Amino acid sequence: MKKTLTTLALTSAFALLSTTASAENITVFAAASMTNVLQEINKDFEQKYPQDKVTFSFASSSVLAKQIEQDAPADVFISADTKWMDYVKEKQPSKTQNVEVLVKNDLVLIAPISSKIQAENIQSVNFSKELADSYLSVGDPDHVPAGKYAKKALEYYKVWGDVENKLARAKNVRDALSFVERNEAPLGIVYSTDAKVSADKVKIVAVFPQESYGEVVYPAATTSSKPEAKKFLDFLKTPEAKAKFEAAGFYPVQ
């Protein structure tokens, strides 16, 4: 009996060691606009793979890309545009694998929920009048993808010259959203999914047509050789993950 108990104890110990050895931390660097949806998707992932632990770092794609360039320990990178994914591929070609576009998004003009501004479309917005002595909240167009899309759209409508000196340049799109949430800016340009996250604090004034700025796409890639990195990336393409993306306002790549 004593020998049997000893054998069982050893078996349990080896099983525990085996489980611990197979457990893995997965570090995901992702665009700030993906914060809420990835946290929701991760609940399903960790329920399916309880041995794996996912840690997120959310920031502007430019900041994350430069951190990966400097060998930051990222296993997965999700960018809000192709430029910063291409940057990582160029700087870390051996690390950056399995690149593909996950989802798309829309660019919108927002205002505080209490704002009286109404517009049929972007062309009907008088930016000079609405901004007056205040500022337009955007991700910094020099670095942040949402800001670059915004600049391109405003140039398309020939109003960039009117607002260039009236920009509240945020370090990422969620900070741009927060300025409008707190009524510190009368207008802001963010993604439609950001506006949806904060629907109780901001409203969409108008949607920018895609021809004014191109497409908002989210390429993703593994940036380490961990098998778990590919496992997480593959999970983002499962039906349950796609349902979460669509519920958050993202839409699939055709």
Side-chain angles (χ1 to χ4, degrees):
M1 181 68 177
K2 182 176 181 182
K3 185 177 179 180
T4 302
L5 290 174
T6 301
T7 302
L8 287 172
L10 287 171
T11 301
S12 298
F14 282 128
L16 179 60
L17 286 172
S18 177
T19 301
T20 302
S22 65
E24 191 62 73
N25 289 324
I26 306 166
T27 302
V28 178
F29 280 23
S33 52
M34 284 243 166
T35 300
N36 299 74
V37 69
L38 286 182
Q39 289 173 337
E40 284 298 311
I41 291 173
N42 186 50
K43 293 177 184 178
D44 294 336
F45 178 81
E46 291 192 344
Q47 185 174 4
K48 186 172 183 179
Y49 302 105
Q51 73 275 19
D52 297 323
K53 175 66 177 176
V54 179
T55 301
F56 290 106
S57 178
F58 295 108
S60 169
S61 301
S62 60
V63 170
L64 298 172
K66 290 177 181 178
Q67 289 177 353
I68 295 172
E69 177 189 4
Q70 298 299 319
D71 291 319
D75 300 310
V76 175
F77 175 46
I78 306 174
S79 174
D81 70 356
T82 56
K83 174 186 175 180
W84 289 111
M85 181 60 74
D86 291 342
Y87 181 91
V88 170
K89 285 168 60 180
E90 178 186 347
K91 301 299 182 181
Q92 295 283 10
S94 63
K95 286 186 176 182
T96 311
Q97 304 294 327
N98 305 301
V99 181
E100 59 182 294
V101 175
L102 285 179
V103 289
K104 296 183 179 182
N105 211 337
D106 289 319
L107 196 70
V108 299
L109 181 69
I110 61 170
I113 194 73
S114 59
S115 173
K116 296 181 180 179
I117 182 173
Q118 294 182 336
E120 293 183 3
N121 49 44
I122 294 294
Q123 297 97 307
S124 64
V125 177
N126 186 331
F127 282 90
S128 295
K129 176 185 175 182
E130 297 298 339
L131 293 176
D133 295 326
S134 192
Y135 295 90
L136 174 66
S137 182
V138 296
D140 188 343
D142 293 336
H143 307 286
V144 180
K148 293 183 177 184
Y149 293 127
K151 179 180 178 182
K152 189 173 181 180
L154 294 169
E155 287 177 335
Y156 180 88
Y157 288 111
K158 303 187 187 310
V159 295
W160 175 250
D162 298 331
V163 303
E164 184 177 6
N165 294 323
K166 291 187 172 185
L167 299 182
R169 296 171 178 256
K171 63 182 180 180
N172 60 60
V173 71
R174 284 300 175 90
D175 283 355
L177 173 68
S178 69
F179 291 150
V180 182
E181 286 178 334
R182 298 193 300 265
N183 213 16
E184 294 175 2
L187 293 173
I189 300 176
V190 299
Y191 301 127
S192 61
T193 53
D194 298 306
K196 186 173 183 177
V197 165
S198 189
D200 60 330
K201 297 178 181 177
V202 305
K203 66 178 183 180
I204 295 177
V205 176
V207 179
F208 287 92
Q210 283 194 356
E211 62 264 25
S212 68
Y213 62 89
E215 284 188 314
V216 178
V217 297
Y218 290 78
T222 55
T223 48
S224 81
S225 59
K226 288 181 183 178
E228 291 78 14
K230 182 64 162 55
K231 179 166 57 174
F232 182 80
L233 188 59
D234 286 343
F235 190 82
L236 297 180
K237 295 174 285 182
T238 60
E240 55 262 52
K242 288 181 179 179
K244 291 280 178 73
F245 277 126
E246 292 181 18
F250 296 90
Y251 53 95
V253 178
Q254 300 298 327

